[in-house]
């Protein structure tokens, strides 16, 4: 019988093994440590995928200062317009999933797939929900020099003059664009769509008379309605607006099934760690609960509606299905 004597291993081998084990443990612990330190590394960027002046931008500028206070970190606003909001949205989709790049997203992101809009992202695949911020009704506004001064007069004019009325929007595939297409299909006529790179330039041209009407968020045009620069023809839905109680709804004009409103949310790149998402949602809900923030939102025509990440996820899923039905039922197509 042969016996084999085990030789003692060199100490430097054990040292290497111990070092490797320590590195492995550090690699596992590092992400958790980074998450617990969030957001101490650098400022947080809140990206607005439109030019300044629209609903996304207005919301960002109201909540960013309060988020900065809560997170104890600077929150910067970055406007990146283009391609109907898709340029900035795709930018965030490709950003590092570390919680330092956030997107103010409207429900346009649930409309684009139904329209077949070409985008380098999918809202249900490339983003993680943080929470809804608020909703806002749309209002049909007209240049003051137009012959129609009420919603019934406008409906009659559009029917009698198919294609003659030009309406501006923040871009192809935006909710404002779709609101116009659904309206034209509902009344059985046509309008000419003029896309812009954001709400502000669209409203500027409307005030200047380059276009005749616009379906705009109440937040983006309320000041121009109150100052008399634009005429509000109707709230594009079935519910009255507390900000414009004297303006009739589309339902009151006989369009009982018409509904156009926007909701706004905060989303982050997919694979952002859940602890970071939880931190951001907590900060967002706390910011929305601040009386000064709430007062500013309501004054601008918004209806504050903060949610959890799961609730926003459900809203996105439902909206994707809803807009698919709307586009199909109204035979709506968008030029790419």
């Amino acid at each position: 019988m042969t016996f084999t004597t085990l030789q003692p291993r060199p100490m430097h081998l054990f040292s290497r093994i111990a070092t490797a084990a320590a590195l492995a443990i550090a690699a596992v612990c590092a992400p958790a440590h980074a998450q617990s330190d969030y957001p101490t590394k650098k400022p947080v960027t809140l990206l607005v995928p439109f030019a300044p002046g629209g609903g996304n931008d207005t919301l960002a500028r109201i909540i960013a200062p309060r988020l900065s206070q809560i997170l104890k970190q600077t929150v910067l606003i970055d406007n990146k317009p283009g391609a109907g909001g898709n340029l900035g949205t795709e930018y965030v989709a490709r950003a590092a999933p570390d919680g330092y790049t956030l997107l103010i997203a409207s429900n346009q992101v649930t409309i684009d797939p139904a329209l077949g809009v070409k985008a380098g992202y999918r809202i249900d695949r490339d983003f993680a929900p943080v929470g809804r911020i608020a909703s806002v009704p749309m209002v049909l506004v007209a240049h003051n020099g137009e012959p129609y001064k009420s919603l019934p007069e406008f409906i009659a004019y559009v029917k009698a003059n198919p294609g003659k009325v030009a309406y501006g929007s923040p871009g192809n595939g935006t909710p404002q664009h779709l609101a116009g297409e659904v309206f034209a299909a509902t009344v059985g006529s046509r309008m000419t769509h003029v896309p812009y790179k954001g709400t502000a330039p669209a409203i500027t041209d409307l005030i200047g008379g380059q276009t005749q009407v616009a379906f705009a968020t109440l937040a983006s045009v309320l000041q121009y309605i109150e100052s008399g620069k634009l005429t509000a023809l109707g709230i594009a839905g079935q519910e009255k607006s507390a900000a414009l109680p004297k303006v009739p709804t589309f339902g009151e004009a006989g369009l009982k099934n018409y509904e156009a409103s926007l909701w706004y949310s905060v989303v982050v790149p997919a694979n952002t760690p859940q602890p970071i998402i939880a931190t951001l949602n907590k900060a967002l809900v706390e910011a929305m609960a601040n009386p000064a923030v709430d007062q500013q939102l309501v004054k601008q025509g918004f209806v504050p509606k903060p949610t959890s990440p799961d609730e926003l996820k459900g809203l996105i899923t439902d909206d994707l299905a809803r807009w698919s039905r709307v586009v199909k039922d109204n035979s709506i197509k968008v030029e790419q």
Side-chain angles (χ1 to χ4, degrees):
M1 183 177 292
T2 302
F3 293 89
T4 301
T5 302
L6 296 176
Q7 299 296 323
R9 297 189 179 188
M11 289 301 294
H12 64 80
L13 177 60
F14 287 105
S15 178
R16 288 201 301 270
I17 294 173
T19 299
L23 289 173
I25 293 172
V28 172
C29 294
H33 178 69
Q35 292 166 30
S36 65
D37 287 347
Y38 175 82
T40 60
K41 289 184 177 180
K42 57 184 178 180
V44 175
T45 296
L46 186 57
L47 191 137
V48 177
F50 295 100
N56 301 60
D57 184 69
T58 300
L59 270 177
R61 295 181 190 281
I62 290 175
I63 67 172
R66 185 58 185 162
L67 285 177
S68 295
Q69 294 174 0
I70 296 169
L71 293 172
K72 295 179 173 59
Q73 178 61 272
T74 302
V75 176
L76 304 173
I77 298 172
D78 182 14
N79 293 87
K80 196 176 290 291
N86 286 322
L87 183 66
T89 302
E90 183 175 351
Y91 175 86
V92 176
R94 296 182 178 183
D98 56 7
Y100 287 95
T101 307
L102 320 178
L103 175 73
I104 291 270
S106 72
N107 56 341
Q108 177 199 337
V109 294
T110 65
I111 294 173
D112 285 351
L115 293 171
V117 173
K118 296 178 181 178
Y121 65 89
R122 272 180 44 188
I123 185 61
D124 56 348
R125 179 194 65 195
D126 299 317
F127 291 94
V130 172
R132 181 173 60 183
I133 306 170
S135 64
V136 63
M138 277 198 214
V139 57
L140 174 62
V141 289
H143 179 261
N144 288 338
E146 298 307 316
Y148 31 81
K149 303 301 179 184
S150 68
L151 186 53
E153 288 179 359
F154 178 68
I155 293 174
Y157 187 89
V158 170
K159 287 183 175 181
N161 299 275
K164 187 175 180 179
V165 175
Y167 75 100
S169 84
N172 281 319
T174 58
Q176 293 90 329
H177 172 201
L178 198 62
E181 295 300 306
V182 172
F183 173 81
T186 300
V187 301
S189 188
R190 292 181 293 106
M191 295 193 298
T192 300
H193 174 232
V194 182
Y196 290 84
K197 290 185 176 180
T199 297
I203 299 305
T204 297
D205 270 11
L206 175 60
I207 294 173
Q210 280 71 41
T211 54
Q212 286 76 59
V213 298
F215 290 81
T217 62
L218 183 55
S220 65
V221 294
L222 184 57
Q223 60 177 314
Y224 303 115
I225 295 170
E226 291 177 339
S227 65
K229 291 183 178 180
L230 291 174
T231 300
L233 298 179
I235 302 297
Q238 306 301 309
E239 292 185 15
K240 302 281 284 187
S241 168
L244 294 173
K246 294 182 179 180
V247 177
T249 67
F250 276 35
E252 290 173 329
L255 306 181
K256 298 298 183 182
N257 295 319
Y258 187 97
E259 186 66 52
S261 62
L262 273 77
W263 51 258
Y264 296 91
S265 66
V266 173
V267 296
V268 290
N271 300 317
T272 298
Q274 286 302 316
I276 290 178
I277 291 175
T279 296
L280 287 170
N281 178 262
K282 182 180 179 182
L284 183 62
V285 171
E286 185 178 338
M288 299 292 291
N290 181 272
V293 171
D294 183 82
Q295 185 178 11
Q296 281 184 284
L297 291 174
V298 172
K299 185 178 179 180
Q300 293 287 343
F302 291 100
V303 181
K305 291 183 178 181
T307 69
S308 68
D310 284 344
E311 287 171 327
L312 175 56
K313 182 178 180 180
L315 178 61
I316 290 171
T317 299
D318 291 345
D319 236 34
L320 285 168
R322 174 190 170 223
W323 286 114
S324 180
R325 290 193 303 270
V326 168
V327 169
K328 183 178 179 180
D329 292 346
N330 292 280
S331 301
I332 298 170
K333 295 181 180 180
V334 174
E335 293 183 6
Q336 301 291 313

